[in-house]
Amino acid sequence: MTTPHDGTLETHVITLTAPAGLDEPVALDLSVDGARPVTPELVAEVNDLCDRAEDALPGAYVLLRLSGAPQGPWTAAGQGIQLVNRWERALRRLERLPVATVALAEGDCGGAAFELLLATDHRLARHDLRLFPPAGGDGMWPGMALYRLVNQVGVAGSRRAVLLGAPVTAERALALHLVDAVTDGDPAEALPETAALLGGPAGIELAIRRRLMLDAATTPFEESLGRHLAACDRVLRRAAGEAVEA
C-alpha cells in the first residue's frame, strides 16, 4: 500500500520472485521485541545474524521482524557505555552487510526495534505501525538512532520525534520515507521490492554502494571524490575482465 499524490492509500500486490539464475530467496530472519532492553544477549543475536549473512550464499537476505515498544521511558540504567558501544557496533555491522536487509514492522515499535529498523535497506509496515524513538525523562536517547533518523528524514522531519517524543504513524513514516510500503495485512505478505533488491548489486558491490550512499550526506565533496573514483575504477576493471579485490 502506497500513498499517491492525493494523499489516499492504494494497494499494490506484487508477487515475490527469485532473480534469474537463483533459487528461491533465502531469508535469514530474526524477531526482535522492542519492549526488551538492549542486553548482551540481544547484541549476540544481532551479531549471530550478521555471521550467518556474511557466510550466506547468493540470493540470501536478512529479514528482521520488528514489534514492541518499551512500557515506560527508555532507560539506560544497567547498560553501561561498553554495552552501548557493542550495540552500536552491531547495528553498524548490520548496516554494512553484503546482503540486502529487510524490516517487517507492526504495532507499536520502539527501543531496539526502532534502532534496527533505521539500519535496514527496505522497510515494510502494517497500517497499525507507530514508531517510538527511544526516549526517557531527558528526551530522545542520544545514540546513533538520532543520527540515522536526522540523516534519513532531515531536521524538519525528525524534530517532533526528537524533541517531543511524538510517535510516528505508518502514514507519516511512509510520507517521510522511513518505511517503503504499508499493508493492511501481514507485512510478510507484501515483500514487493525484495526481489528487486536481490536482483540488484550483491556482495561487496552492494556494500560499496550502500556505504557511498550513507556517507554522501555527511562527507564533503572533496573527501568523497576519491572513494567514488575508486568505486568507478573497480567497475571499469571488472568490465574489462580484470580481477578485483573481493
Side-chain angles (χ1 to χ4, degrees):
M1 177 176 291
T2 58
T3 303
H5 296 303
D6 63 4
T8 60
L9 296 178
E10 61 181 18
T11 300
H12 299 279
V13 179
I14 303 175
T15 302
L16 176 64
T17 57
L22 293 179
D23 295 331
E24 287 297 319
V26 176
L28 307 169
D29 65 331
L30 175 67
S31 297
V32 174
D33 181 357
R36 295 171 54 190
V38 172
T39 62
E41 290 74 21
L42 180 57
V43 174
E45 289 176 10
V46 174
N47 277 321
D48 176 69
L49 179 69
C50 293
D51 286 341
R52 289 187 287 140
E54 289 168 353
D55 294 336
L57 296 173
Y61 67 99
V62 163
L63 184 61
L64 287 166
R65 301 176 186 274
L66 307 174
S67 62
Q71 301 299 309
W74 172 270
T75 175
Q79 289 194 33
I81 196 62
Q82 291 184 342
L83 179 57
V84 173
N85 186 31
R86 289 168 57 195
W87 173 242
E88 296 289 4
R89 289 177 180 277
L91 291 173
R92 189 59 166 165
R93 188 180 174 194
L94 175 74
E95 203 170 41
R96 294 184 169 190
L97 284 178
V99 302
T101 55
V102 181
L104 307 180
E106 60 183 337
D108 287 354
C109 189
F114 176 83
E115 295 195 89
L116 285 164
L117 178 92
L118 294 182
T120 55
D121 297 321
H122 186 61
R123 304 155 189 179
L124 303 173
R126 204 168 67 182
H127 73 281
D128 64 351
L129 177 71
R130 291 195 306 166
L131 292 173
F132 286 87
D138 295 329
M140 183 174 177
W141 171 247
M144 293 304 287
L146 193 159
Y147 175 91
R148 290 189 176 90
L149 181 64
V150 175
N151 266 289
Q152 292 176 24
V153 305
V155 173
S158 57
R159 186 172 54 241
R160 278 174 50 82
V162 172
L163 299 182
L164 304 178
V168 182
T169 64
E171 289 192 35
R172 178 65 175 160
L174 187 62
L176 291 172
H177 304 295
L178 274 177
V179 299
D180 297 290
V182 176
T183 176
D184 287 327
D186 183 351
E189 297 175 353
L191 290 165
E193 297 179 32
T194 300
L197 279 173
L198 296 175
I204 188 65
E205 301 304 328
L206 171 64
I208 288 173
R209 282 154 182 78
R210 187 195 287 127
R211 184 166 184 175
L212 290 174
M213 179 184 69
L214 293 173
D215 290 346
T218 57
T219 307
F221 179 89
E222 290 75 13
E223 292 183 26
S224 299
L225 180 59
R227 299 173 192 173
H228 283 263
L229 287 176
C232 291
D233 180 63
R234 180 186 177 87
V235 173
L236 292 172
R237 287 192 288 120
R238 288 184 65 209
E242 297 180 25
V244 296
E245 183 180 354

